[in-house]
Amino acid sequence: NAGVMQNPRHLVRRRGQEARLRCSPMKGHSHVYWYRQLPEEGLKFMVYLQKENIIDESGMPKERFSAEFPKEGPSILRIQQVVRGDSAAYFCASSSRDGEIYEQYFGPGTRLTVT
Amino acid sequence: AQSVTQLDSQVPVFEEAPVELRCNYSSSVSVYLFWYVQYPNQGLQLLLKYLSGSTLVKGINGFEAEFNKSQTSFHLRKPSVHISDTAEYFCAVSEGYIPTFGRGTSLIVHP
């Protein structure tokens, strides 16, 4: 049973470009959570999605950031017009049931560097 | 609102020595408590969790933690560490499905 997959593992973007981060949940999981980890800080919740629905986006910056989890395919976290402050590690987690945080399984993360 | 404080940003220790990583939290309601380990360039792996019941929780890799409600603490312990335990450790607290993570404690095990 494959774990949570994230790609790319490393992404370099110039200021002003777009970044697309992908997350494939564990088989059988239909709930996805995105977190951001800034250097020397803990993870910060960004958004919680189910298939075709955003359940909670209270941690998402109001501008430039968006997330989706389509009926088919991976969940996508999109950052438009990236700035240096977006440089961070972005982690995805998945679970099989609604809001069961103790059943969240984390992916290896995507490390975004904005130059 | 919930918050988590990990008092030590770095804990150096010699191999085979015992270690305690401290975690205090604040919350106005019942919470779930977690410890995660993060090895370099990897995602978080759940070490152990407290949901209810016995206050002493045993996890993977020989780690255990004790929930102390009166002191609002959830310290992580291991009686004898190994070089391979060198990693970042995160305490997390949740009142629902959104966890709040501490800033992490870097455990450095020296030979």
Side-chain angles (χ1 to χ4, degrees), chain B residues 10-31:
Chain B
Q10 214 173 71
V11 172
V13 65
F14 285 107
E15 194 173 16
E16 297 183 10
V19 71
E20 178 179 84
L21 306 184
R22 296 180 292 170
C23 173
N24 288 88
Y25 70 93
S26 67
S27 174
S28 57
V29 298
S30 297
V31 295

PDB file of all heavy atoms in Angstrom, chain B residues 10-31:
ATOM      1  N   GLN B  10      16.981  22.624  21.093  1.00  0.00           N
ATOM      2  CA  GLN B  10      17.991  21.612  20.788  1.00  0.00           C
ATOM      3  C   GLN B  10      18.344  20.843  22.053  1.00  0.00           C
ATOM      4  O   GLN B  10      18.509  21.429  23.125  1.00  0.00           O
ATOM      5  CB  GLN B  10      19.250  22.315  20.255  1.00  0.00           C
ATOM      6  CG  GLN B  10      20.012  21.532  19.212  1.00  0.00           C
ATOM      7  CD  GLN B  10      21.140  22.346  18.623  1.00  0.00           C
ATOM      8  OE1 GLN B  10      22.135  22.606  19.287  1.00  0.00           O
ATOM      9  NE2 GLN B  10      20.989  22.743  17.371  1.00  0.00           N
ATOM     10  N   VAL B  11      18.438  19.517  21.930  1.00  0.00           N
ATOM     11  CA  VAL B  11      18.834  18.687  23.069  1.00  0.00           C
ATOM     12  C   VAL B  11      19.956  17.765  22.614  1.00  0.00           C
ATOM     13  O   VAL B  11      19.726  16.827  21.832  1.00  0.00           O
ATOM     14  CB  VAL B  11      17.646  17.852  23.595  1.00  0.00           C
ATOM     15  CG1 VAL B  11      18.105  16.859  24.650  1.00  0.00           C
ATOM     16  CG2 VAL B  11      16.563  18.761  24.166  1.00  0.00           C
ATOM     17  N   PRO B  12      21.201  18.053  23.060  1.00  0.00           N
ATOM     18  CA  PRO B  12      22.298  17.138  22.760  1.00  0.00           C
ATOM     19  C   PRO B  12      22.401  16.082  23.848  1.00  0.00           C
ATOM     20  O   PRO B  12      22.201  16.373  25.032  1.00  0.00           O
ATOM     21  CB  PRO B  12      23.520  18.060  22.769  1.00  0.00           C
ATOM     22  CG  PRO B  12      23.134  19.172  23.699  1.00  0.00           C
ATOM     23  CD  PRO B  12      21.637  19.251  23.738  1.00  0.00           C
ATOM     24  N   VAL B  13      22.689  14.852  23.451  1.00  0.00           N
ATOM     25  CA  VAL B  13      22.782  13.767  24.419  1.00  0.00           C
ATOM     26  C   VAL B  13      23.727  12.712  23.872  1.00  0.00           C
ATOM     27  O   VAL B  13      23.887  12.578  22.650  1.00  0.00           O
ATOM     28  CB  VAL B  13      21.366  13.185  24.689  1.00  0.00           C
ATOM     29  CG1 VAL B  13      20.798  12.544  23.439  1.00  0.00           C
ATOM     30  CG2 VAL B  13      21.378  12.222  25.848  1.00  0.00           C
ATOM     31  N   PHE B  14      24.373  11.979  24.779  1.00  0.00           N
ATOM     32  CA  PHE B  14      25.247  10.902  24.343  1.00  0.00           C
ATOM     33  C   PHE B  14      24.440   9.620  24.122  1.00  0.00           C
ATOM     34  O   PHE B  14      23.406   9.390  24.765  1.00  0.00           O
ATOM     35  CB  PHE B  14      26.356  10.663  25.367  1.00  0.00           C
ATOM     36  CG  PHE B  14      27.423  11.729  25.338  1.00  0.00           C
ATOM     37  CD1 PHE B  14      27.509  12.667  26.361  1.00  0.00           C
ATOM     38  CD2 PHE B  14      28.320  11.808  24.282  1.00  0.00           C
ATOM     39  CE1 PHE B  14      28.477  13.660  26.330  1.00  0.00           C
ATOM     40  CE2 PHE B  14      29.303  12.795  24.247  1.00  0.00           C
ATOM     41  CZ  PHE B  14      29.369  13.727  25.267  1.00  0.00           C
ATOM     42  N   GLU B  15      24.943   8.808  23.219  1.00  0.00           N
ATOM     43  CA  GLU B  15      24.296   7.525  22.912  1.00  0.00           C
ATOM     44  C   GLU B  15      24.144   6.699  24.190  1.00  0.00           C
ATOM     45  O   GLU B  15      25.007   6.715  25.063  1.00  0.00           O
ATOM     46  CB  GLU B  15      25.153   6.768  21.902  1.00  0.00           C
ATOM     47  CG  GLU B  15      24.453   5.604  21.240  1.00  0.00           C
ATOM     48  CD  GLU B  15      25.271   4.982  20.119  1.00  0.00           C
ATOM     49  OE1 GLU B  15      26.484   5.256  20.059  1.00  0.00           O
ATOM     50  OE2 GLU B  15      24.692   4.246  19.297  1.00  0.00           O
ATOM     51  N   GLU B  16      23.024   6.019  24.308  1.00  0.00           N
ATOM     52  CA  GLU B  16      22.648   5.151  25.420  1.00  0.00           C
ATOM     53  C   GLU B  16      22.227   5.921  26.675  1.00  0.00           C
ATOM     54  O   GLU B  16      21.844   5.303  27.666  1.00  0.00           O
ATOM     55  CB  GLU B  16      23.751   4.146  25.766  1.00  0.00           C
ATOM     56  CG  GLU B  16      24.050   3.173  24.632  1.00  0.00           C
ATOM     57  CD  GLU B  16      25.099   2.131  24.990  1.00  0.00           C
ATOM     58  OE1 GLU B  16      25.457   2.041  26.183  1.00  0.00           O
ATOM     59  OE2 GLU B  16      25.549   1.414  24.083  1.00  0.00           O
ATOM     60  N   ALA B  17      22.259   7.232  26.631  1.00  0.00           N
ATOM     61  CA  ALA B  17      21.765   8.027  27.761  1.00  0.00           C
ATOM     62  C   ALA B  17      20.255   8.182  27.641  1.00  0.00           C
ATOM     63  O   ALA B  17      19.695   8.071  26.547  1.00  0.00           O
ATOM     64  CB  ALA B  17      22.438   9.387  27.765  1.00  0.00           C
ATOM     65  N   PRO B  18      19.577   8.477  28.758  1.00  0.00           N
ATOM     66  CA  PRO B  18      18.137   8.748  28.688  1.00  0.00           C
ATOM     67  C   PRO B  18      17.902  10.172  28.188  1.00  0.00           C
ATOM     68  O   PRO B  18      18.779  11.033  28.278  1.00  0.00           O
ATOM     69  CB  PRO B  18      17.685   8.614  30.144  1.00  0.00           C
ATOM     70  CG  PRO B  18      18.902   8.971  30.928  1.00  0.00           C
ATOM     71  CD  PRO B  18      20.081   8.512  30.127  1.00  0.00           C
ATOM     72  N   VAL B  19      16.714  10.400  27.662  1.00  0.00           N
ATOM     73  CA  VAL B  19      16.383  11.740  27.166  1.00  0.00           C
ATOM     74  C   VAL B  19      14.917  12.061  27.461  1.00  0.00           C
ATOM     75  O   VAL B  19      14.068  11.157  27.509  1.00  0.00           O
ATOM     76  CB  VAL B  19      16.643  11.859  25.645  1.00  0.00           C
ATOM     77  CG1 VAL B  19      15.626  11.065  24.826  1.00  0.00           C
ATOM     78  CG2 VAL B  19      16.647  13.320  25.202  1.00  0.00           C
ATOM     79  N   GLU B  20      14.667  13.336  27.721  1.00  0.00           N
ATOM     80  CA  GLU B  20      13.296  13.823  27.861  1.00  0.00           C
ATOM     81  C   GLU B  20      13.155  15.083  27.018  1.00  0.00           C
ATOM     82  O   GLU B  20      13.941  16.022  27.155  1.00  0.00           O
ATOM     83  CB  GLU B  20      12.957  14.137  29.325  1.00  0.00           C
ATOM     84  CG  GLU B  20      11.533  14.685  29.477  1.00  0.00           C
ATOM     85  CD  GLU B  20      11.165  14.974  30.924  1.00  0.00           C
ATOM     86  OE1 GLU B  20      11.514  16.071  31.419  1.00  0.00           O
ATOM     87  OE2 GLU B  20      10.509  14.118  31.556  1.00  0.00           O
ATOM     88  N   LEU B  21      12.158  15.107  26.148  1.00  0.00           N
ATOM     89  CA  LEU B  21      11.839  16.288  25.352  1.00  0.00           C
ATOM     90  C   LEU B  21      10.529  16.856  25.899  1.00  0.00           C
ATOM     91  O   LEU B  21       9.529  16.156  25.968  1.00  0.00           O
ATOM     92  CB  LEU B  21      11.688  15.919  23.874  1.00  0.00           C
ATOM     93  CG  LEU B  21      12.859  15.173  23.242  1.00  0.00           C
ATOM     94  CD1 LEU B  21      12.608  14.960  21.753  1.00  0.00           C
ATOM     95  CD2 LEU B  21      14.165  15.911  23.466  1.00  0.00           C
ATOM     96  N   ARG B  22      10.570  18.150  26.248  1.00  0.00           N
ATOM     97  CA  ARG B  22       9.445  18.731  26.968  1.00  0.00           C
ATOM     98  C   ARG B  22       8.435  19.390  26.033  1.00  0.00           C
ATOM     99  O   ARG B  22       8.796  19.995  25.018  1.00  0.00           O
ATOM    100  CB  ARG B  22       9.963  19.750  27.979  1.00  0.00           C
ATOM    101  CG  ARG B  22      10.829  19.126  29.071  1.00  0.00           C
ATOM    102  CD  ARG B  22      11.304  20.165  30.044  1.00  0.00           C
ATOM    103  NE  ARG B  22      12.252  21.096  29.449  1.00  0.00           N
ATOM    104  CZ  ARG B  22      12.668  22.197  30.045  1.00  0.00           C
ATOM    105  NH1 ARG B  22      12.205  22.528  31.248  1.00  0.00           N
ATOM    106  NH2 ARG B  22      13.554  22.982  29.456  1.00  0.00           N
ATOM    107  N   CYS B  23       7.172  19.258  26.429  1.00  0.00           N
ATOM    108  CA  CYS B  23       6.077  19.849  25.653  1.00  0.00           C
ATOM    109  C   CYS B  23       4.992  20.298  26.624  1.00  0.00           C
ATOM    110  O   CYS B  23       4.510  19.501  27.447  1.00  0.00           O
ATOM    111  CB  CYS B  23       5.510  18.836  24.668  1.00  0.00           C
ATOM    112  SG  CYS B  23       4.018  19.401  23.813  1.00  0.00           S
ATOM    113  N   ASN B  24       4.638  21.566  26.544  1.00  0.00           N
ATOM    114  CA  ASN B  24       3.506  22.090  27.306  1.00  0.00           C
ATOM    115  C   ASN B  24       2.490  22.670  26.340  1.00  0.00           C
ATOM    116  O   ASN B  24       2.850  23.191  25.288  1.00  0.00           O
ATOM    117  CB  ASN B  24       3.975  23.161  28.300  1.00  0.00           C
ATOM    118  CG  ASN B  24       4.733  22.565  29.456  1.00  0.00           C
ATOM    119  OD1 ASN B  24       5.938  22.377  29.389  1.00  0.00           O
ATOM    120  ND2 ASN B  24       4.017  22.241  30.509  1.00  0.00           N
ATOM    121  N   TYR B  25       1.244  22.576  26.701  1.00  0.00           N
ATOM    122  CA  TYR B  25       0.198  23.057  25.811  1.00  0.00           C
ATOM    123  C   TYR B  25      -0.806  23.887  26.600  1.00  0.00           C
ATOM    124  O   TYR B  25      -0.851  23.850  27.829  1.00  0.00           O
ATOM    125  CB  TYR B  25      -0.514  21.884  25.132  1.00  0.00           C
ATOM    126  CG  TYR B  25      -1.362  21.070  26.085  1.00  0.00           C
ATOM    127  CD1 TYR B  25      -2.710  21.344  26.262  1.00  0.00           C
ATOM    128  CD2 TYR B  25      -0.793  20.040  26.831  1.00  0.00           C
ATOM    129  CE1 TYR B  25      -3.479  20.629  27.167  1.00  0.00           C
ATOM    130  CE2 TYR B  25      -1.553  19.317  27.730  1.00  0.00           C
ATOM    131  CZ  TYR B  25      -2.888  19.614  27.891  1.00  0.00           C
ATOM    132  OH  TYR B  25      -3.638  18.905  28.795  1.00  0.00           O
ATOM    133  N   SER B  26      -1.573  24.652  25.879  1.00  0.00           N
ATOM    134  CA  SER B  26      -2.686  25.363  26.503  1.00  0.00           C
ATOM    135  C   SER B  26      -3.926  25.144  25.652  1.00  0.00           C
ATOM    136  O   SER B  26      -3.868  25.198  24.421  1.00  0.00           O
ATOM    137  CB  SER B  26      -2.392  26.850  26.637  1.00  0.00           C
ATOM    138  OG  SER B  26      -2.320  27.453  25.380  1.00  0.00           O
ATOM    139  N   SER B  27      -5.009  24.859  26.333  1.00  0.00           N
ATOM    140  CA  SER B  27      -6.289  24.641  25.658  1.00  0.00           C
ATOM    141  C   SER B  27      -7.384  24.731  26.696  1.00  0.00           C
ATOM    142  O   SER B  27      -7.179  24.389  27.854  1.00  0.00           O
ATOM    143  CB  SER B  27      -6.313  23.269  24.979  1.00  0.00           C
ATOM    144  OG  SER B  27      -7.597  23.009  24.448  1.00  0.00           O
ATOM    145  N   SER B  28      -8.534  25.172  26.255  1.00  0.00           N
ATOM    146  CA  SER B  28      -9.652  25.313  27.179  1.00  0.00           C
ATOM    147  C   SER B  28     -10.550  24.088  27.203  1.00  0.00           C
ATOM    148  O   SER B  28     -11.461  24.008  28.010  1.00  0.00           O
ATOM    149  CB  SER B  28     -10.480  26.546  26.798  1.00  0.00           C
ATOM    150  OG  SER B  28     -10.916  26.437  25.446  1.00  0.00           O
ATOM    151  N   VAL B  29     -10.278  23.141  26.316  1.00  0.00           N
ATOM    152  CA  VAL B  29     -11.142  21.954  26.237  1.00  0.00           C
ATOM    153  C   VAL B  29     -10.276  20.705  26.204  1.00  0.00           C
ATOM    154  O   VAL B  29      -9.050  20.783  26.220  1.00  0.00           O
ATOM    155  CB  VAL B  29     -12.036  22.001  24.975  1.00  0.00           C
ATOM    156  CG1 VAL B  29     -12.949  23.217  25.028  1.00  0.00           C
ATOM    157  CG2 VAL B  29     -11.200  22.029  23.711  1.00  0.00           C
ATOM    158  N   SER B  30     -10.928  19.570  26.142  1.00  0.00           N
ATOM    159  CA  SER B  30     -10.184  18.309  26.030  1.00  0.00           C
ATOM    160  C   SER B  30      -9.444  18.279  24.700  1.00  0.00           C
ATOM    161  O   SER B  30      -9.941  18.768  23.691  1.00  0.00           O
ATOM    162  CB  SER B  30     -11.144  17.126  26.116  1.00  0.00           C
ATOM    163  OG  SER B  30     -11.763  17.102  27.365  1.00  0.00           O
ATOM    164  N   VAL B  31      -8.276  17.684  24.732  1.00  0.00           N
ATOM    165  CA  VAL B  31      -7.435  17.687  23.536  1.00  0.00           C
ATOM    166  C   VAL B  31      -6.904  16.298  23.228  1.00  0.00           C
ATOM    167  O   VAL B  31      -6.913  15.401  24.074  1.00  0.00           O
ATOM    168  CB  VAL B  31      -6.238  18.650  23.693  1.00  0.00           C
ATOM    169  CG1 VAL B  31      -6.699  20.093  23.794  1.00  0.00           C
ATOM    170  CG2 VAL B  31      -5.391  18.252  24.890  1.00  0.00           C
TER     171      VAL B  31
END
